[in-house]
């Protein structure tokens, strides 16, 4: 028994039923399944390890105090420096409220901090059965393999053999972590000329567009799609020469460049010439089209699971 997969749609930025005054992704009524049965299916699906992506080299599931803890290890393609990347997820269930909390940690350092990158929240409503979903983004500082891969691409384009290293002690901000490069002393590019080089890299190699005020707008492909979740995204680069600093304002799938999801910082150090990079995620509640794209395939999988289990 279960609702028909794909026979109903999800509306982003709908008025929330669970949190009046807020916005959520809200499904149409789901026929053929009760709210209790759908919640039961979600819990069985997750506890049964069926959220495995299929690209992992390692998938560990444990239960603690009623919550499900998942550790996944992925191989990083050699083109992005090789090695592995580990992510963590925690699922919590509230049967009385028919709600599911899903915390996602994009790396060991973030997991150790105790603050997830995102908390996805789902509430299953009854009479009629509908799914409500929203994401809470948290203000976390990232300095992991994805940023390392981005820096190493730039170093390679410079012709340098210097390496980038993730989760290093920050040079610019005491007590924080960053991606840092080795000293760069084997190429004509210097700390003073780096941003001229980087502008050319963005406009010529990455096909970004420089505006009259010097701002550079970039449309990114899913080239960093190690986890199989990449999508097209948009960014705006602002260079502050007096600070030796690049601010890259990131807008996710928002082509209008209005809803910022985070800022990537690049600090250029002198004597010796080194690069330092980190990202700060913008906090907030999110329930746009991309978030409808998170909940839809998940609930489709649950309904298929229920149908096959009946």
């Amino acid at each position: 028994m279960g609702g028909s997969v794909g026979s109903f749609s999800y509306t982003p930025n709908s008025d929330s039923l669970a949190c009046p005054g807020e916005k959520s992704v809200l499904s149409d009524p789901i026929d053929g399944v009760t709210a209790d049965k759908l919640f039961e299916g979600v819990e069985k699906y997750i506890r049964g390890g069926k959220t495995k992506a299929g690209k992992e080299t390692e998938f560990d599931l444990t239960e603690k105090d009623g919550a499900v803890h998942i550790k996944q290890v992925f191989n990083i393609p050699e083109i992005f420096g090789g090695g592995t990347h580990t992510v963590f997820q925690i699922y919590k269930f509230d049967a009385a409220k028919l709600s599911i909390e899903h915390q996602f940690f994009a790396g060991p350092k973030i997991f150790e901090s105790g603050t997830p990158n995102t908390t996805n929240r789902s509430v299953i409503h009854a009479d009629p059965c509908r799914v409500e979903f929203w994401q809470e983004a948290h203000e976390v500082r990232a300095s992991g393999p994805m940023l390392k891969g981005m820096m190493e691409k730039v170093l390679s384009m410079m012709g340098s053999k210097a390496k980038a290293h993730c989760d290093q002690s920050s040079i610019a901000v005491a007590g924080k972590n960053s991606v840092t490069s080795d000293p760069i002393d084997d190429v004509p590019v210097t700390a003073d000329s780096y941003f001229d080089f980087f502008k050319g890299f963005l406009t010529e190699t990455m096909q970004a567009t420089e505006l009259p005020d010097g701002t550079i707008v970039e449309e990114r492909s899913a080239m960093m799609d190690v986890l199989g979740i990449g999508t097209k995204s948009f960014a705006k680069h602002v260079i502050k020469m007096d600070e030796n600093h690049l601010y890259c304002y990131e807008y996710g799938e928002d082509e209008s460049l209005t809803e910022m999801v985070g800022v990537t910082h690049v600090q250029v150090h002198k004597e010796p010439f080194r690069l330092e990079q980190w990202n700060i995620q913008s906090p907030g509640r999110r329930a746009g089209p991309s978030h409808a794209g998170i909940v839809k395939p998940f609930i489709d999988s649950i309904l298929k699971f229920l149908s096959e289990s009946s």
Side-chain angles (χ1 to χ4, degrees):
M1 179 181 180
S4 299
V5 176
S7 62
F8 57 95
S9 61
Y10 294 80
T11 305
N13 296 314
S14 298
D15 291 335
S16 172
L17 301 177
C19 309
E22 299 286 357
K23 296 295 184 181
S24 298
V25 175
L26 196 61
S27 80
D28 291 341
I30 306 173
D31 296 329
V33 66
T34 65
D36 287 331
K37 187 68 176 178
L38 183 56
F39 178 85
E40 179 184 323
V42 171
E43 187 166 6
K44 285 183 177 179
Y45 187 88
I46 293 169
R47 292 192 188 278
K50 295 186 179 298
T51 58
K52 186 174 182 179
K55 296 184 178 182
E56 306 95 332
T57 58
E58 185 179 331
F59 181 91
D60 292 331
L61 185 152
T62 57
E63 297 194 24
K64 181 179 179 181
D65 299 326
V68 173
H69 292 240
I70 294 173
K71 173 185 175 184
Q72 293 164 286
V73 181
F74 297 86
N75 282 330
I76 299 173
E78 288 299 325
I79 192 172
F80 299 126
T84 62
H85 181 50
T86 304
V87 301
F88 302 85
Q89 303 182 64
I90 299 175
Y91 291 90
K92 299 179 181 179
F93 308 91
D94 187 332
K97 296 181 178 179
L98 297 182
S99 66
I100 304 100
E101 175 187 297
H102 170 212
Q103 299 179 2
F104 176 77
F105 302 82
K109 290 288 184 182
I110 294 173
F111 185 63
E112 290 168 11
S113 77
T115 300
N117 295 75
T118 55
T119 301
N120 293 331
R121 298 190 184 277
S122 302
V123 178
I124 301 173
H125 299 282
D127 303 321
C129 177
R130 302 175 75 183
V131 174
E132 178 174 353
F133 174 88
W134 68 94
Q135 183 179 89
E136 296 168 1
H138 307 287
E139 186 173 326
V140 295
R141 181 180 176 116
S143 55
M146 300 302 172
L147 289 172
K148 172 178 177 282
M150 292 168 67
M151 182 183 288
E152 290 197 329
K153 181 176 179 65
V154 174
L155 290 168
S156 175
M157 293 300 295
M158 289 170 61
S160 177
K161 294 182 180 179
K163 299 297 184 183
H165 308 276
C166 59
D167 296 328
Q168 303 296 298
S169 295
S170 172
I171 304 168
V173 186
K176 301 295 185 180
N177 290 314
S178 300
V179 174
T180 59
S181 76
D182 295 331
I184 305 165
D185 55 12
D186 57 350
V187 291
V189 179
T190 66
D192 290 326
S193 65
Y194 173 75
F195 284 126
D196 288 332
F197 161 80
F198 189 70
K199 277 188 179 182
F201 168 74
L202 286 175
T203 56
E204 296 168 20
T205 302
M206 306 306 292
Q207 301 297 303
T209 302
E210 184 171 6
L211 303 181
D213 64 359
T215 296
I216 299 173
V217 177
E218 179 189 8
E219 178 182 319
R220 297 169 169 171
S221 68
M223 68 174 184
M224 297 297 290
D225 189 12
V226 175
L227 305 183
I229 56 176
T231 57
K232 182 190 296 184
S233 63
F234 298 87
K236 180 173 67 177
H237 300 262
V238 177
I239 296 170
K240 299 287 188 180
M241 296 298 293
D242 57 332
E243 302 175 18
N244 292 321
H245 199 96
L246 167 72
Y247 297 83
C248 178
Y249 301 98
E250 294 161 348
Y251 298 90
E253 296 177 318
D254 180 12
E255 191 171 1
S256 67
L257 307 183
T258 53
E259 187 177 338
M260 189 171 68
V261 299
V263 183
T264 293
H265 298 259
V266 178
Q267 183 69 48
V268 178
H269 296 283
K270 300 181 178 182
E271 300 178 1
F273 171 29
R274 298 175 69 186
L275 298 177
E276 177 176 358
Q277 184 169 339
W278 68 94
N279 174 274
I280 305 291
Q281 183 170 248
S282 300
R285 179 177 176 126
R286 294 170 188 161
S290 64
H291 304 95
I294 294 173
V295 65
K296 182 185 185 307
F298 178 71
I299 294 300
D300 282 353
S301 296
I302 302 302
L303 293 173
K304 182 180 179 183
F305 170 69
L306 284 172
S307 178
E308 292 173 349
S309 301
S310 60

